[in-house]
Amino acid sequence: MNPIVEFCISNLGMGGYEALQKLEEDPNLDIVEYGCLDHCDLCAETLYALVNGEVVTGETPDDLVKNIYQYIEENPMF
């Protein structure tokens, strides 16, 4: 089972799309886009994604990608 990375479509428009594109190249991740993830306050402030249900943030797309991989490494599913 692969880690699941969920993106809010509104946050993708704020710059998260670049992070999504980079992560989609990794066959070991399952990427999902939703219309809304109900984190509107966070969405307005920074780039973020849910990784296995937990919020991971980043100030830039590269920072978000780095933080997602770091979170996955520090929190293995099994």
Side-chain angles (χ1 to χ4, degrees), residues 12-67:
L12 293 177
M14 302 290 288
Y17 188 70
E18 186 179 329
L20 177 139
Q21 287 180 308
K22 290 177 182 181
L23 294 170
E24 282 185 326
E25 295 175 7
D26 187 338
N28 297 312
L29 298 175
D30 291 333
I31 308 298
V32 183
E33 297 173 44
Y34 290 101
C36 182
L37 292 173
D38 293 327
H39 293 281
C40 300
D41 54 336
L42 185 62
C43 190
E45 295 175 11
T46 190
L47 300 178
Y48 83 98
L50 297 182
V51 181
N52 297 327
E54 296 295 323
V55 174
V56 176
T57 63
E59 292 188 24
T60 66
D62 288 336
D63 191 36
L64 179 58
V65 169
K66 179 185 73 109
N67 292 344

